[in-house]
Amino acid sequence: MTRGFYVTTPIYYINGNPHIGHAYTTIVADVLARTARTRGDAFFLTGTDEHGQKVADAAKAAGLDPQTWCDRLVPKWKQLFASFHVEYDDFIRTTEPRHERLVQRVFERLRENGDVYRGVYEGWYCSNDETFWLESKLIEGRCPNPECRREVEWLSEESWFFRLSKYNQPLLEHFRTHPNWVRPRSAYNEMMSMLEEGLEDFSISRAAFDWGIPIPGGGGVIYVWFDALLNYITALGWSEDDARFRRYWPATVQLIGKEIARFHTIIWPAILWSLGEKAPDLVFAHGWITLDGQKIGKSLGNAVDPETLVQRFGADAIRYFLLREGHFGSDFSYSEAKIAQRYNDELGNDLGNLVRRTLTMLARYRNGLVPQPGETRFGERFTELPKRVEEAIFNLQFRDALEEIWELVSALNREIDERKPWVLAKAGDEAALDALLYDLCEGIRWLAVMLAPFMPQKAGEIWEQLGLRTGLHGSWEQTLVWGGLGAQTQTAPSETPLFPRLEIAVA
Ligand code: MSP
C-alpha cells in the first residue's frame, strides 16, 4: 500500500485566545498539506489540548467548569484557522471520547507490558509548563524555563511511571542512524546531548487534581503530555481502523515549536516503540516569532491578535509574510511595519502590478483574449522551476521556495520593462506582441499554481482573472507545462487590485 502524506501540528492549549504563534504552525502545515494534495493523498491534523492544570486554572478563573470552558474556546480556534484559509482534514480535541478511549487503552497496554509501573513520585513541578524539574535544574528555586520562571511546587504522591530509561539506548541508536529525523540541526544536537546525559523514568499520573483522563482502575488522572501526544494516532484510528492507520503512519512530518522538542523526539518515540509502532519520519522544530526579542505568547502578555492582522492586511498576506520572513527553523521578529513593507513591495508592486499591467495590456491590444503562443522566451528557462519549488517546500525551506517563485515574477516584470509591449504595438509587430503577451499570461498562470499553497485565495483570484475555472490545484507536473494556457481564453481583469496599496505610518 502506498503511504499517504501525514502532517500534524501540536495541539494547542486552550487556556486563552489564540495568538499569531499558534496560527503560524497551523499555516505552515496547511502549505505542506496543500502542496502534498497536488501529488496525491494527504492528511492534515490539528486540534486542541484540553486537559491539565493550565486549562483547569483558566476555567476556574472564568468561573466555569473546564468542559464548558473548552467548549466555548474551541470555536474561536476553529474560526481563527478558517480566517487564515486553513483546510485541515481533522480537528482533534483531547476531551473527545475517541481520544479518551484510546489513551486508556494505551495506558493499559503499557501497564501490561511493564513499561508503565507503580512507584512514588516526589519532586518539583511547574504547573504552567506541566513539567517536573530536577532540583539541580531549578534557578533560584524557580522554574528554569526562561519564558516562565514561576514558582514550582513540591509534589509527593504515589504515581504511575513510564519506563523511559529503557529507551535511552534505542533512542541514541535511532538518532545516530537517522541523523535527519529531527530538524533543524540545533534541535537534533540539543536532544542528542539530553540522551547522552541519560534519561530517567517519569511520572505519568496525577492524583492531586481531576481534570484529565481517568486512569483505568482508579488512582487519579493521566499526565497531560502522555494524553496529548497520543492525539496523533487517535486521529488515524490506531487499534480501531488498522487500514487507515497503516496508510498514514509513520507521520511524514510533525511540526512543533522548538520548546516542545523533548516531548516529541524523546518521549513520543519511546511511547510509540513501547506500542510496537514506528517513530515519525521527521519532527521539525521551528523557531519562535518574537516581539522585542521575546517569544510572543500569552504568558508574557505580548500576544498579537491574529484576527486584527487579517482585517488589516488580509489572510494571504500574513500567510506570505510568515513563510517568507524567516528561515523555517529560526526565530524571526515580528512587526507590522515589516509586514506592510513586504505587502507593498513584493505583493503589491511585484506580483499585483504584474497581473494588472499584463491584463490591462491584453485588454487594450487583444480585447482581453489570450493570443496564440509564439516563440517563447520563458518555456525552457523555467522548466525546472516547479520541481525546485516543490523540493524546497517538501524540504521545509519555504522562504527559498518563495524566492524561487519570485525569480519568475521578476523575470516577467523585466520582460515588460525591457521589451515594452506598447512599442511593439506602435510598430505593428503583431507576432512579437502576441508571443510576449502569451508568455506573460502563461507565466502568471504558473505563478497562480505555485502560489496556491501559500496564498490560496489570491491565487484563486488570479486564476479567475485569467478566465480559468478549474485546475488550479491539480498536479504540477501536468499543469505546469509551458503552453498550457489555451489561446482565445477570455480574461476577466478585476477593477480592484489584488493587493491595494497600504498607506502606512511607519515609526
Ligand atoms: N499543548 C502543547 C502541545 C502538545 S502537542 C502533543 C503546547 N501547546 S501551546 O499552545 O503552548 O503551544 C503550541 C505551539 O504553538 C508551539 O509548539 C508552537 O508550535 C506554537 N507557538 C506558540 N507561540 C509561538 C511563537 N511565539 N512563535 C512560533 N510558534 C509559537 O505546547
Side-chain angles (χ1 to χ4, degrees):
M1 183 171 60
T2 51
R3 246 174 64 204
F5 186 97
Y6 182 34
V7 55
T8 65
T9 72
I11 47 171
Y12 303 99
Y13 284 132
I14 47 172
N15 55 331
N17 291 336
H19 59 71
I20 189 70
H22 304 122
Y24 178 53
T25 321
T26 319
I27 289 169
V28 172
D30 189 56
V31 172
L32 276 169
R34 284 173 180 274
T35 314
R37 284 187 204 118
T38 69
R39 301 220 289 204
D41 186 20
F43 193 78
F44 162 19
L45 176 71
T46 190
T48 44
D49 192 352
E50 306 190 3
H51 292 125
Q53 199 154 0
K54 215 149 112 158
V55 174
D57 288 349
K60 198 165 166 201
L64 294 170
D65 70 276
Q67 190 64 58
T68 309
W69 163 266
C70 292
D71 292 347
R72 287 201 191 165
L73 263 284
V74 165
K76 293 193 187 188
W77 289 74
K78 289 190 172 170
Q79 177 52 47
L80 168 81
F81 298 154
S83 309
F84 279 100
H85 314 312
V86 166
E87 282 181 359
Y88 47 76
D89 295 289
D90 195 356
F91 186 106
I92 190 163
R93 302 182 50 181
T94 53
T95 51
E96 288 174 74
R98 60 170 169 163
H99 182 67
E100 302 201 343
R101 183 166 76 227
L102 176 129
V103 173
Q104 291 188 329
R105 194 174 301 140
V106 169
F107 191 94
E108 280 175 329
R109 197 71 79 88
L110 269 48
R111 192 158 55 184
E112 277 158 28
N113 76 17
D115 279 351
V116 165
Y117 66 91
R118 195 97 175 121
V120 174
Y121 182 80
E122 283 195 313
W124 295 105
Y125 189 68
C126 170
S127 63
N128 185 63
D129 286 0
E130 307 277 11
T131 305
F132 281 102
W133 296 104
L134 290 174
E135 176 127 1
S136 59
K137 296 270 189 241
L138 299 181
I139 296 182
E140 291 169 2
R142 289 171 165 263
C143 173
N145 172 1
E147 307 292 327
C148 177
R149 291 285 149 79
R150 284 178 176 71
E151 273 181 28
V152 290
E153 35 180 337
W154 181 256
L155 288 190
S156 171
E157 56 189 38
E158 279 233 327
S159 187
W160 291 98
F161 283 82
F162 177 64
R163 212 177 288 283
L164 184 64
S165 57
K166 173 175 152 189
Y167 295 94
N168 205 156
Q169 274 314 314
L171 279 162
L172 275 167
E173 189 58 28
H174 188 71
F175 270 71
R176 287 194 184 119
T177 50
H178 300 78
N180 291 315
W181 98 276
V182 176
R183 286 175 55 204
R185 203 68 198 165
S186 49
Y188 176 93
N189 290 340
E190 199 191 330
M191 295 304 118
M192 204 49 180
S193 51
M194 280 188 197
L195 292 173
E196 279 158 359
E197 258 179 43
L199 300 177
E200 289 180 15
D201 297 351
F202 70 99
S203 158
I204 57 164
S205 63
R206 294 289 174 277
F209 71 101
D210 61 3
W211 181 235
I213 300 177
I215 287 169
V221 296
I222 295 173
Y223 174 44
V224 64
W225 268 102
F226 187 85
D227 155 355
L229 286 164
L230 291 167
N231 89 86
Y232 303 126
I233 61 171
T234 300
L236 298 183
W238 180 80
S239 77
E240 294 185 359
D241 182 348
D242 207 47
R244 217 162 91 76
F245 182 72
R246 300 285 153 221
R247 184 154 130 211
Y248 294 111
W249 196 262
T252 318
V253 45
Q254 300 210 261
L255 299 171
I256 57 166
K258 62 183 175 182
E259 75 284 5
I260 53 177
R262 184 173 66 96
F263 292 104
H264 284 84
T265 66
I266 293 181
I267 295 176
W268 180 221
I271 296 174
L272 285 163
W273 291 339
S274 183
L275 288 172
E277 303 298 350
K278 291 193 172 118
D281 287 352
L282 170 65
V283 175
F284 196 106
H286 65 69
W288 292 335
I289 308 177
T290 60
L291 193 64
D292 305 323
Q294 288 192 295
K295 176 178 182 245
I296 289 180
K298 251 180 317 265
S299 331
L300 283 177
N302 61 357
V304 176
D305 173 27
E307 297 284 359
T308 314
L309 287 179
V310 170
Q311 278 158 20
R312 179 122 199 257
F313 299 99
D316 279 3
I318 301 298
R319 288 174 65 112
Y320 173 80
F321 172 80
L322 291 174
L323 285 130
R324 176 67 184 74
E325 181 66 17
H327 282 290
F328 193 59
S330 310
D331 292 356
F332 63 95
S333 74
Y334 158 94
S335 83
E336 293 206 4
K338 283 191 194 181
I339 303 176
Q341 188 167 3
R342 287 203 184 275
Y343 177 102
N344 279 337
D345 293 354
E346 291 155 25
L347 299 179
N349 286 350
D350 298 349
L351 178 63
N353 275 346
L354 169 68
V355 174
R356 192 187 48 78
R357 288 207 285 176
T358 301
L359 294 184
T360 307
M361 289 188 293
L362 195 69
R364 182 169 316 144
Y365 304 127
R366 295 291 180 263
N367 292 320
L369 290 177
V370 173
Q372 286 293 334
E375 201 176 319
T376 174
R377 294 166 41 107
F378 285 85
E380 219 157 275
R381 194 165 142 211
F382 287 98
T383 321
E384 297 295 316
L385 180 70
K387 229 179 284 161
R388 284 208 304 274
V389 171
E390 237 187 1
E391 251 172 50
I393 294 175
F394 289 125
N395 206 12
L396 292 94
Q397 293 176 322
F398 304 103
R399 183 186 174 139
D400 294 356
L402 287 166
E403 278 175 356
E404 292 273 5
I405 296 174
W406 246 251
E407 295 273 315
L408 179 55
V409 173
S410 309
L412 295 168
N413 275 321
R414 224 176 301 123
E415 193 74 357
I416 300 179
D417 296 341
E418 285 170 7
R419 304 213 35 231
K420 303 186 178 58
W422 50 95
V423 173
L424 296 177
K426 215 172 196 174
D429 194 346
E430 303 301 338
L433 184 59
D434 272 353
L436 173 56
L437 289 173
Y438 185 88
D439 265 356
L440 293 173
C441 293
E442 176 64 344
I444 291 173
R445 188 181 72 92
W446 276 43
L447 290 174
V449 171
M450 291 185 285
L451 285 173
F454 295 95
M455 297 191 279
Q457 185 174 8
K458 294 296 172 187
E461 285 173 26
I462 297 176
W463 204 246
E464 275 173 29
Q465 293 198 39
L466 282 174
L468 300 171
R469 310 242 172 290
T470 53
L472 177 61
H473 306 289
S475 123
W476 288 16
E477 214 177 352
Q478 282 163 26
T479 315
L480 298 184
V481 177
W482 201 270
L485 179 62
Q488 297 303 309
T489 302
Q490 175 67 59
T491 57
S494 156
E495 294 290 313
T496 1
L498 277 170
F499 299 96
R501 196 165 175 82
L502 286 172
E503 293 312 330
I504 28 155
V506 179

